[in-house]
Amino acid sequence: MKTWNRVLLKLSGEALAGDKKTGFDEATCIEVAKQVKELVDKGVEVGIVIGGGNFWRGRTSETIDRTKADQIGMLATVMNCIYVSEIFRYVGMMTQVLTPFECGSMTKTFSKDRANKYFKKGMVVFFAGGIGHPYFSTDTATVLRAVEIEADVILLAKAIDGVYDSDPKTNLSAIKYDEISIGEVLDKKLAVIDLSATIMCLENKMPMMVFGLNEPNSIVNTVNGKFTGTKVTV
């Protein structure tokens, strides 16, 4: 196993929806949970950010204010984290959901100290609600939380299996990178994550492993060194 003690796993909301494209595919979520449990059982500390695209994207509607649209997206990520957190508990893990704003008794308010306390207890910590402000995506929240909790790496589980020189959905000749620097990602405008998140990765030297969530055992394989995605270096 690689010498990663703490990882930040970013899950795509769309990927968790499976073939349904919206809501949750429970079988997919259970499979993710079983893989994460395998890591936790080996002593790896796991933080998780989940996108909200299976319910809402920040620019889904052109008729409402962008700030309000982004707030809806933040709440979509809270719903996702509460649901997936419960699936994780179902397979035998302890979890906690942290948000940058109050959500009644449903979540706890984020702080680095609180996250570290939960990690020490062997809990999987979900970081929901983005950074709590509009105009910032869950990509930015992912990098910010990874930097704050001093994660060793970001595991970026996407609907596609790595970083390509163009969109493989529209270009069948797209070439996949085995390894690429975050500087090259920025220069070539490859949009692995959004611009502000990419710059934050560059400034804070936060590496990423980009892979397909739907590849068999992809999360465990990535941590164990059997990696078939794209390594984004710093």
Side-chain angles (χ1 to χ4, degrees), residues 4 11 36 43 46 48 53 79 86 116 118 151 153 163 165 181 183 191 207:
W4 291 333
L11 297 170
V36 173
V46 182
I48 295 181
M79 290 193 295
E86 287 303 304
N116 283 334
Y118 294 140
V153 68
V163 179
D165 64 348
S181 72

Side-chain angles (χ1 to χ4, degrees), residues 115-161:
N116 283 334
K117 180 179 76 174
Y118 294 140
F119 282 132
K120 285 179 182 177
K121 291 182 177 180
M123 303 173 84
V124 176
V125 184
F126 289 80
F127 302 109
I131 69 167
H133 297 282
Y135 295 92
F136 294 96
S137 71
T138 49
D139 286 346
T140 304
T142 297
V143 180
L144 177 62
R145 295 297 181 236
V147 171
E148 283 183 297
I149 67 171
E150 299 176 72
D152 297 309
V153 68
I154 293 170
L155 307 181
L156 201 60
K158 299 171 74 79
I160 58 173
D161 64 348

Side-chain angles (χ1 to χ4, degrees), residues 38-49:
E38 194 172 325
L39 303 183
V40 171
D41 288 346
K42 290 179 179 177
V44 180
E45 296 173 345
V46 182
I48 295 181
V49 172

Side-chain angles (χ1 to χ4, degrees), residues 138-208:
T138 49
D139 286 346
T140 304
T142 297
V143 180
L144 177 62
R145 295 297 181 236
V147 171
E148 283 183 297
I149 67 171
E150 299 176 72
D152 297 309
V153 68
I154 293 170
L155 307 181
L156 201 60
K158 299 171 74 79
I160 58 173
D161 64 348
V163 179
Y164 288 77
D165 64 348
S166 57
D167 188 348
K169 293 178 183 176
T170 56
N171 178 15
L172 297 179
S173 300
I175 298 171
K176 179 180 167 184
Y177 296 98
D178 292 326
E179 184 173 315
I180 189 170
S181 72
I182 193 70
E184 288 177 282
V185 167
L186 192 59
D187 291 342
K188 296 178 180 180
K189 300 179 181 178
L190 295 178
V192 179
I193 49 179
D194 67 28
L195 183 60
S196 59
T198 303
I199 292 170
M200 191 177 293
C201 265
L202 186 66
E203 290 178 337
N204 293 280
K205 295 181 169 54
M206 179 58 65
M208 292 186 291

Side-chain angles (χ1 to χ4, degrees), residues 37-112:
K37 187 174 189 301
E38 194 172 325
L39 303 183
V40 171
D41 288 346
K42 290 179 179 177
V44 180
E45 296 173 345
V46 182
I48 295 181
V49 172
I50 306 176
N54 53 326
F55 286 115
W56 180 266
R57 300 198 70 84
R59 287 154 292 286
T60 296
S61 173
E62 299 294 330
T63 58
I64 68 173
D65 179 72
R66 169 69 187 271
T67 296
K68 297 301 180 186
D70 284 359
Q71 288 170 347
I72 294 169
M74 289 178 221
L75 293 176
T77 71
V78 175
M79 290 193 295
N80 279 350
C81 284
I82 291 173
Y83 175 84
V84 177
S85 166
E86 287 303 304
I87 295 293
F88 276 38
R89 293 185 181 199
Y90 168 76
V91 303
M93 286 175 280
M94 297 183 293
T95 64
Q96 187 57 260
V97 180
L98 301 181
T99 48
F101 44 76
E102 292 286 344
C103 283
S105 61
M106 292 179 284
T107 68
K108 299 284 189 183
T109 308
F110 169 80
S111 75
K112 178 177 179 177

